[in-house]
């Protein structure tokens, strides 16, 4: 979405997974790193015609910390749909930061190399 059309990206999957894990270390981490829902233009829904519900179920199996945080927040503080919209927004932001990190570092490094 924000990338230049002639960009090639490399990423470290384990670094992305580690960053994603930090979203749900505990309830406070989730609330800090996932403050906003996805933009309306994304068309977020947990309904059967969308993939978000399937991703949510798979992520719950993959991440014990996500299960624990969800258990603590839903429905006590957040509705199910709000929880997942905020989580996916935080995840999206985290992944974008990791993917674009190398591009940002590369441009900074090349600027420093120029006399």
């Amino acid at each position: 979405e924000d990338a230049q059309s002639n960009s090639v990206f490399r990423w470290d999957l384990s670094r992305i997974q580690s960053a994603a894990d930090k979203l749900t270390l505990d309830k406070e981490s989730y609330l800090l790193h996932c403050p906003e829902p996805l933009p309306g233009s994304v068309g977020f829904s947990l309904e059967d015609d969308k993939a978000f519900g399937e991703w949510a179920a798979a992520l719950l199996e993959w991440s014990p910390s996500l299960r624990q945080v969800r258990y603590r927040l839903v429905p006590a503080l957040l509705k199910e749909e709000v929880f997942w919209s905020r989580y996916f927004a935080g995840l999206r932001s985290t992944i974008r930061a990791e993917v674009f990190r190398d591009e940002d570092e590369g441009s900074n490094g090349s600027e420093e190399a120029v006399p």
Side-chain angles (χ1 to χ4, degrees):
E1 296 166 14
D2 297 331
Q4 297 175 1
S5 61
N6 61 349
S7 297
V8 175
F9 297 99
R10 294 187 180 105
W11 59 87
D12 180 344
L13 183 57
S14 63
R15 191 170 75 190
I16 291 172
Q17 287 174 325
S18 176
D21 284 341
K22 291 177 184 172
L23 297 176
T24 57
L25 291 174
D26 53 33
K27 182 174 87 170
E28 291 75 19
S29 294
Y30 170 87
L31 294 171
L32 176 67
H33 297 295
C34 303
E36 300 292 328
L38 285 167
S41 61
V42 172
F44 176 79
S45 172
L46 292 175
E47 298 299 320
D48 290 340
D49 63 334
K50 304 286 184 182
F52 289 107
E54 292 176 23
W55 275 102
L59 288 166
L60 284 173
E61 286 183 31
W62 170 73
S63 174
S65 65
L66 177 61
R67 277 194 306 271
Q68 184 66 22
V69 168
R70 179 181 163 268
Y71 176 77
R72 290 178 173 266
L73 292 174
V74 178
L77 295 175
L78 299 171
K79 293 181 181 180
E80 187 81 27
E81 191 120 343
V82 172
F83 173 85
W84 286 108
S85 182
R86 287 175 59 171
Y87 177 75
F88 284 122
L91 188 60
R92 177 184 187 213
S93 177
T94 298
I95 291 169
R96 291 170 86 180
E98 289 296 323
V99 169
F100 291 124
R101 169 187 289 193
D102 291 335
E103 181 180 77
D104 293 341
E105 288 172 358
S107 66
N108 290 340
S110 64
E111 289 173 5
E112 292 174 7
V114 176

